Amino acid sequence: PFVTILGDGPLALVMAQLMVRQNATVRVVGQSPRAVHLCEKWRVKHRLLDDVGLRHDQDVVVDCLGTPSGFSRVLQMVRPRGKVVIKRASHVKDSSAAESIAEMLRSELQVIGSWWGGISDAVGVLNRREVDVSELIESRTPLEELPKMIDHIMRTDALKVIVEV
């Protein structure tokens, strides 16, 4: 199947690697220049969010944004009777949730949700080195330097920072 992953944060980048391992044709859609570089390295297709057509023609769309506007784009990308994978459902609290549900029903979409996933499965994937997470770690910082790293951690384009104790 052709899988479009909306978002290019750590969750989306790990998801892309896992989908490629399942022999899916994967495209990551986001805005981060760093994610473009990583996708090229991993041979995963990547498009900028503003360059993607919203033509209801994607087989599977994975929402790794978890925002109302992101979910609206998901609904404009997925084909009728396609599949939508939702990691977070913060859009449900939005006033447009009823419209989103109506659109899902009209399009007869198959919705697959994942709140937490199996931690043992995730640890197994990491132990077997099935995904490359080393590129997602931007820096390692001693605990005493944490206050000055908070601004860096809170940047929207930051991937992950490990604080060593």
Side-chain angles (χ1 to χ4, degrees):
F2 191 83
V3 178
T4 297
I5 298 174
L6 186 58
D8 56 12
L11 173 65
L13 295 173
V14 168
M15 179 71 72
Q17 292 179 74
L18 291 171
M19 292 286 111
V20 166
R21 291 183 61 82
Q22 298 299 316
N23 295 321
T25 301
V26 179
R27 175 179 67 169
V28 173
V29 175
Q31 302 180 89
S32 165
R34 180 152 185 217
V36 170
H37 167 74
L38 291 175
C39 286
E40 288 172 357
K41 177 181 176 184
W42 297 328
R43 296 188 175 132
V44 172
K45 294 176 185 174
H46 188 283
R47 300 269 320 266
L48 294 176
L49 190 57
D50 294 336
D51 295 342
V52 173
L54 305 173
R55 298 183 299 268
H56 297 283
D57 61 353
Q58 304 298 300
D59 298 324
V60 179
V61 181
V62 181
D63 178 11
C64 289
L65 291 176
T67 64
S69 63
F71 192 69
S72 175
R73 283 190 188 241
V74 165
L75 294 178
Q76 293 171 327
M77 295 170 80
V78 68
R79 67 172 173 75
R81 296 190 176 174
K83 295 180 182 177
V84 174
V85 180
I86 303 171
K87 178 59 182 165
R88 289 179 284 201
S90 57
H91 63 277
V92 172
K93 298 175 188 172
D94 188 74
S95 61
S96 65
E99 292 172 29
S100 296
I101 292 169
E103 176 63 26
M104 289 186 294
L105 292 172
R106 269 191 305 278
S107 299
E108 299 180 17
L109 300 178
Q110 181 179 351
V111 179
I112 303 163
S114 171
W115 284 98
W116 299 105
I119 190 70
S120 60
D121 292 337
V123 170
V125 166
L126 292 172
N127 279 337
R128 291 186 300 274
R129 300 190 189 284
E130 293 178 17
V131 294
D132 178 10
V133 294
S134 64
E135 296 280 347
L136 304 179
I137 300 169
E138 291 185 340
S139 65
R140 297 176 186 268
T141 304
L143 186 59
E144 351 16 288
E145 294 181 25
L146 181 61
K148 74 178 186 180
M149 291 300 296
I150 289 178
D151 286 339
H152 176 79
I153 293 168
M154 299 306 290
R155 279 191 353 226
T156 57
D157 65 336
L159 289 176
K160 290 293 175 197
V161 175
I162 293 180
V163 178
E164 297 179 345
V165 182

